[in-house]
C-alpha cells in the first residue's frame, strides 16, 4: 500500500500568533536561510498575513496556506473567507477540522467535509485533521473513534490528484501538551487511516499523505516520521521560531 513513499510534508500551524508584519519578517528570514531539502514546507499563517507571507517567501520553495476556510463558495457569510480568496493570494494548503475548531467553534464532521470539498473545488489542498481525545485513548477506543471521524470528515470528498488530499492524525491529548505519541502510536494510526483511504480511494491511498501532529519538535520529528505510513508532521508550538523549524529540517535531512 505504500509502494513509493510520498514526499514528506512539514506543515507549520501558527494558530493565532504573529501579526502580518511579524509573519512577513519571519517569511523573509526563512527565504534567506532555507536550506536545500527534500521535505515540502508549508506555512499555515493567519489569513490576514497571507499576502505578506506570499511576497516574502517568493523564491524560497516553501508553500503557504491558511488554518480554516468557509464551507461556502461566496455570499452572505459575514467574517468568512472563501477557498477562492485563499487560492487568489497563492495559498496551496488549508487546514480543516483542527481539534481547536471542532472544540471551540462546534465544527462537526459534516462541516469539516464541506470545507474539504470547498477547498478541493477551488484548487486548494485540504489538510483534514482527525484524532481522539484522552478518554477514547484511555478506553482503548482511539482507533475506532478516529476512523469513524475520518470517514465522516471525508463524506463526498473526491479528487483526481491524490497528492491534493492530506490527512493529519492529531491526538488531542498531545496537542500543545508536550506529551507526544510514540512513533509506534503514530504508525499504528497512520496505517489504520491508510486502510480507510484504501477503502474510499482504492487507486490513490498510497499517495495521500498522512501526517502526525502533537508536540512535534526538532528532537522528536525524525523518530515520529519513521513509520512507513507517516508522511510528515503538522507542527504547532515548535513552528513559531525559525530556529526550531530549521532544526526540524536539519533533523530530517
Ligand atoms: C497543532 O495545533 O496542530 C499542533 C500539533 O500543536 P503542537 O505542535 O503545539 O502540539
Amino acid at each position: 500500500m505504500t509502494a513509493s513513499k510520498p514526499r514528506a510534508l512539514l506543515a507549520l500551524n501558527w494558530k493565532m500568533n504573529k501579526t502580518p508584519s511579524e509573519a512577513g519578517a519571519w517569511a523573509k528570514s526563512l527565504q534567506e536561510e532555507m536550506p536545500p531539502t527534500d521535505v515540502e514546507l508549508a506555512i499555515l499563517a493567519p489569513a490576514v498575513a497571507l499576502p505578506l507571507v506570499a511576497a516574502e517567501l517568493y523564491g524560497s520553495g516553501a508553500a503557504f496556506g491558511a488554518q480554516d476556510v468557509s464551507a461556502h463558495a461566496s455570499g452572505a457569510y459575514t467574517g468568512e473567507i472563501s477557498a477562492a480568496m485563499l487560492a487568489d493570494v497563492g495559498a496551496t494548503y488549508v487546514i480543516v477540522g483542527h481539534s481547536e475548531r471542532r472544540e471551540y467553534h462546534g465544527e462537526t464532521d459534516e462541516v469539516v467535509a464541506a470545507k474539504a470539498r470547498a477547498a478541493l473545488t477551488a484548487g486548494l489542498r485540504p489538510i483534514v485533521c482527525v484524532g481522539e481525545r484522552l478518554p477514547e485513548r484511555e478506553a482503548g477506543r482511539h482507533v475506532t473513534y478516529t476512523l469513524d471521524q475520518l470517514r465522516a470528515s471525508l463524506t463526498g470528498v473526491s479528487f483526481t490528484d491524490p497528492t491534493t488530499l492530506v490527512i493529519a492524525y492529531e491526538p488531542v491529548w498531545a496537542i500543545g501538551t508536550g506529551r507526544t505519541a510514540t512513533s509506534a502510536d503514530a504508525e499504528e494510526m497512520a496505517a489504520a487511516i491508510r486502510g480507510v483511504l484504501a477503502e474510499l480511494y482504492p487507486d490513490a491511498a498510497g499517495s495521500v499523505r498522512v501526517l502526525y501532529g502533537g508536540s512535534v519538535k526538532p528532537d522528536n520529528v525524525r523518530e515520529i516520521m519513521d513509520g512507513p505510513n507517516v508522511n510528515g508532521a503538522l507542527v504547532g508550538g515548535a513552528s513559531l521560531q525559525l530556529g526550531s523549524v530549521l532544526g526540524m529540517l536539519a533533523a530530517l535531512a
Side-chain angles (χ1 to χ4, degrees):
M1 220 179 285
T2 52
S4 59
K5 208 170 167 173
R7 186 179 180 200
L9 173 64
L10 198 58
L12 311 181
N13 177 13
W14 281 353
K15 311 193 187 198
M16 199 172 70
N17 293 295
K18 299 193 191 296
T19 62
S21 323
E22 290 165 348
W26 194 103
K28 184 172 191 293
S29 302
L30 176 71
Q31 202 277 340
E32 288 162 0
E33 296 182 42
M34 179 87 174
T37 175
D38 292 336
V39 175
E40 184 179 7
L41 193 66
I43 297 159
L44 306 162
V48 72
L50 291 178
L52 251 177
V53 167
E56 298 293 4
L57 271 186
Y58 189 75
S60 68
F64 65 92
Q67 302 165 12
D68 183 35
V69 65
S70 177
H72 306 283
S74 64
Y77 300 100
T78 301
E80 296 222 50
I81 295 176
S82 74
M85 293 170 189
L86 296 176
D88 190 63
V89 295
T92 301
Y93 290 95
V94 63
I95 299 175
V96 297
H98 190 279
S99 60
E100 286 153 15
R101 294 215 56 90
R102 290 178 186 264
E103 185 178 348
Y104 307 139
H105 301 272
E107 285 192 8
T108 60
D109 294 334
E110 193 182 3
V111 169
V112 174
K115 290 185 172 196
R117 293 194 300 268
L120 285 160
T121 301
L124 297 176
R125 301 174 171 201
I127 301 174
V128 180
C129 299
V130 292
E132 82 283 358
R133 296 161 305 171
L134 199 53
E136 289 89 35
R137 166 69 55 171
E138 287 179 341
R141 292 195 298 108
H142 51 288
V143 176
T144 317
Y145 178 93
T146 300
L147 298 188
D148 286 350
Q149 197 183 45
L150 177 68
R151 283 194 188 88
S153 300
L154 291 177
T155 304
V157 171
S158 62
F159 47 80
T160 44
D161 174 358
T163 63
T164 55
L165 178 66
V166 180
I167 308 297
Y169 165 55
E170 297 211 303
V172 178
W173 49 267
I175 296 180
T177 59
R179 195 175 156 188
T180 319
T182 64
S183 55
D185 292 333
E187 173 57 24
E188 174 199 36
M189 193 67 81
I193 286 173
R194 207 171 294 285
V196 169
L197 294 172
E199 281 166 25
L200 299 175
Y201 314 108
D203 300 329
S207 304
V208 174
R209 283 172 295 180
V210 180
L211 315 184
Y212 166 81
S215 298
V216 173
K217 47 187 189 286
D219 288 352
N220 61 19
V221 67
R222 194 184 172 102
E223 193 192 339
I224 206 83
M225 282 171 54
D226 220 29
N229 286 288
V230 182
N231 311 122
L234 180 55
V235 186
S239 72
L240 294 171
Q241 301 298 327
L242 182 59
S244 135
V245 172
L246 296 176
M248 286 186 277
L249 289 175
L252 294 171

